[in-house]
Amino acid sequence: MGSKLVAVWGKNNSGKTTFAVNLACALASRDRLVGLISSNLIYGNLQIFFGQSVLPDKGLFHGLNDDNPNIGEKFSEYEENKNLFFLSAPNHYTGLLCDSVSLQSVEKLINAASLVFDILIVDGAEDVANPVSGVGLWMAERIYTLYKPSIAAQMWHKGVEDFVRELHIADKQINIMQAPNGDFCDETFKSLIELSFAHELPFVKRASELENAGTPIYFFKDRRCRSYSKVLEQISDEICGGKGK
């Protein structure tokens, strides 16, 4: 593949989609052409973060099922940054289309998109049976796995151990802790889960408010958002191969 493929994974409510969206913003701000693919097959969620809609002739299912060789036309352009494009399910309910998604169609989509973008990010799903998430994890060069401290997060981690082993993705995983809102001790969680964390993301109280307003955290400049963005810059350095590159 021509692009660097990055997957973001974690339990629901771990902050993974927020992270994936804002990492895409950080990378696009470095003059990289970035494609962001959602694995949500039930409803379109990426467009909420960007305050936009997915047009009827675009979107995830068109990208998976259309034989148009120009896959880039199925992505929606982020209006605030011409280097960032996203592929998400349309705004209206499309759950009945889920059965039409095959592993082969996802692999074909990712391979085609890798020829268009410098960096491709797949926002994975908690469900290990999700075909977009599963193929994205298998094909990714690196996987950022997010954990928000809780007993449920520990149980999810234990529950996906066989999946991680069967897919041979353990060596590609980079663990990130999303700081809790004071409702669970992060040190206790670390001792329970027995993982090392390469990065820790601060809790951003305004995250939901900004999401509903279609404003990525990366572009908002209060103290907490700047701290969150600083971690994104460090991770962008890892992906791009050096500071500011």
Side-chain angles (χ1 to χ4, degrees):
M1 293 190 303
S3 69
K4 294 182 179 179
L5 178 58
V6 175
V8 177
W9 196 33
K11 188 185 183 307
N12 286 344
N13 199 37
S14 63
K16 59 184 174 56
T17 300
T18 298
F19 173 78
V21 166
N22 286 281
L23 177 61
C25 291
L27 290 166
S29 296
R30 296 184 176 215
D31 204 27
R32 299 299 201 280
L33 196 62
V34 180
L36 175 60
I37 300 175
S38 173
S39 60
N40 194 322
L41 301 176
I42 304 300
Y43 64 91
N45 61 337
L46 291 184
Q47 53 266 46
I48 297 172
F49 288 81
F50 297 120
Q52 296 178 208
S53 297
V54 173
L55 298 176
D57 61 338
K58 294 181 179 289
L60 181 61
F61 295 111
H62 279 290
L64 287 165
N65 298 319
D66 197 336
D67 290 330
N68 185 342
N70 188 0
I71 187 63
E73 292 182 353
K74 302 308 173 187
F75 281 72
S76 299
E77 181 180 348
Y78 178 38
E79 295 170 354
E80 300 299 322
N81 189 314
K82 302 306 182 183
N83 290 326
L84 177 53
F85 296 77
F86 62 92
L87 190 67
S88 180
N91 290 49
H92 59 278
Y93 181 72
T94 53
L96 295 178
L97 296 175
C98 294
D99 290 339
S100 67
V101 179
S102 67
L103 298 177
Q104 291 79 10
S105 66
V106 176
E107 185 176 0
K108 180 180 177 181
L109 165 66
I110 291 177
N111 280 324
S114 72
L115 301 176
V116 177
F117 299 102
D118 297 321
I119 299 172
L120 202 58
I121 301 173
V122 176
D123 179 26
E126 174 187 55
D127 180 9
V128 296
N130 182 293
V132 178
S133 179
V135 173
L137 291 168
W138 172 62
M139 296 181 70
E141 296 176 28
R142 63 182 71 200
I143 301 166
Y144 291 99
T145 308
L146 269 72
Y147 292 89
K148 185 176 181 181
S150 67
I151 296 300
Q154 183 200 18
M155 292 175 64
W156 174 82
H157 173 71
K158 298 296 289 184
V160 299
E161 284 183 338
D162 288 344
F163 175 79
V164 169
R165 183 166 49 252
E166 291 296 325
L167 220 58
H168 304 287
I169 60 176
D171 291 342
K172 300 191 292 185
Q173 285 186 280
I174 300 167
N175 300 315
I176 299 177
M177 178 179 290
Q178 170 63 66
N181 185 20
D183 52 359
F184 199 97
C185 175
D186 54 351
E187 294 302 324
T188 299
F189 180 72
K190 288 178 182 178
S191 65
L192 287 172
I193 204 165
E194 297 181 340
L195 285 177
S196 60
F197 292 90
H199 303 280
E200 294 190 22
L201 289 164
F203 173 73
V204 178
K205 186 176 182 180
R206 302 188 64 179
S208 296
E209 174 190 340
L210 293 171
E211 173 187 332
N212 291 331
T215 304
I217 291 172
Y218 186 75
F219 297 119
F220 202 79
K221 300 304 180 185
D222 71 6
R223 184 175 62 86
R224 281 290 183 179
C225 291
R226 288 199 305 269
S227 297
Y228 190 101
S229 297
K230 185 176 180 180
V231 180
L232 294 174
E233 292 295 349
Q234 294 171 354
I235 295 171
S236 296
D237 289 342
E238 296 174 0
I239 295 172
C240 295
K243 188 173 179 60
K245 293 183 180 180

